[in-house]
Amino acid sequence: MSKQILLIQGHPDSSQPHLCHALAASYTEGAKEAGHTIRQVNVADLDFPFLRSEEEFVNGSIPVCLEPVQEDLLWAQHFVIFFPLWAGDMPAVLKAFFEQLLRPSFMGKSVGYFDKKRLSGRTARVVVTMGMPAVIYRWYFRAHSVKSLERNLLGIVGIGPVNETLIGLTENMKATDAQNWLKKLVRLGAMGK
């Protein structure tokens, strides 16, 4: 069964290709070959301000460049979010992107965390690259930033389950290891997961 998939490239540097871009391209290749429909947004290519007050978050207007992305959120059945771990978390521009998109004016004001959410029924995968070993990030640091993204941004708007692909030791990664990860992303794309 084919899916409608929104790929969110959260790498903040679009001036040159990075592993996150290659992983996203591999995922897209597998998904398209399997008949899934892909839309993609590159956060680094968007020009929007950071939110600086609760008033702005609750009552401000969304930047025009993000209006089509909100339409994509409603269109998608599955999300794939790519980003490098920076200072132990997602890059600031990606967090600002989600804050702009997931405003109460778009998501609806709900009375509780467990109420029906506007994006309920959608699933996601988070693909994170990092310099440290992924096992250290997962077990010692408890994958805190990924868990925060899953629970406090995606979960609160109804997206779940969220699967993770954590790729460590990327700075000096061997070409064979990189190729194995790219192949894995092709397979995940083909499965729409």
Side-chain angles (χ1 to χ4, degrees):
M1 180 178 187
S2 67
K3 288 185 179 177
Q4 296 171 180
I5 301 171
L6 178 60
L7 191 152
I8 299 171
Q9 180 54 259
H11 199 294
D13 180 11
S14 63
S15 67
Q16 58 184 320
H18 296 275
L19 180 57
C20 282
H21 299 106
L23 293 164
S26 293
Y27 186 95
T28 299
E29 174 189 333
K32 285 184 175 179
E33 286 178 7
H36 302 297
T37 306
I38 297 281
R39 291 184 185 174
Q40 183 169 343
V41 59
N42 294 309
V43 176
D45 295 338
L46 300 172
D47 184 22
F48 57 88
F50 283 50
L51 293 171
R52 300 194 181 270
S53 70
E54 181 180 5
E55 171 66 23
E56 198 176 355
F57 175 69
V58 174
N59 298 315
S61 300
I62 187 161
V64 174
C65 70
L66 294 178
E67 290 174 358
V69 181
Q70 285 186 329
E71 293 173 20
D72 289 341
L73 291 178
L74 297 174
W75 167 85
Q77 299 167 312
H78 182 66
F79 304 95
V80 187
I81 304 162
F82 294 83
F83 65 89
L85 195 67
W86 278 20
D89 207 342
M90 72 178 87
V93 70
L94 182 59
K95 177 82 168 26
F97 168 81
F98 283 122
E99 289 173 353
Q100 285 281 9
L101 286 177
L102 304 178
R103 294 166 178 246
S105 60
F106 175 69
M107 298 313 306
K109 295 181 182 177
S110 181
V111 288
Y113 184 84
F114 298 102
D115 295 332
K116 177 96 170 134
K117 307 296 181 182
R118 190 165 190 192
L119 298 179
S120 291
R122 291 156 173 87
T123 58
R125 174 167 298 278
V126 178
V127 180
V128 184
T129 61
M130 63 193 74
M132 76 174 80
V135 68
I136 299 295
Y137 176 68
R138 183 180 297 281
W139 296 108
Y140 182 77
F141 292 103
R142 304 278 188 217
H144 67 283
S145 61
V146 171
K147 297 299 181 201
S148 177
L149 169 63
E150 292 173 1
R151 181 183 53 250
N152 301 334
L153 287 174
L154 303 179
I156 207 161
V157 297
I159 300 169
V162 178
N163 293 301
E164 304 163 2
T165 301
L166 304 178
I167 305 171
L169 299 173
T170 59
E171 291 173 5
N172 298 309
M173 183 177 281
K174 296 177 186 173
T176 54
D177 293 337
Q179 284 303 315
N180 288 337
W181 279 112
L182 296 174
K183 288 176 186 174
K184 180 174 183 173
L185 268 291
V186 170
R187 290 191 301 273
L188 288 170
M191 294 185 292
K193 293 187 172 186

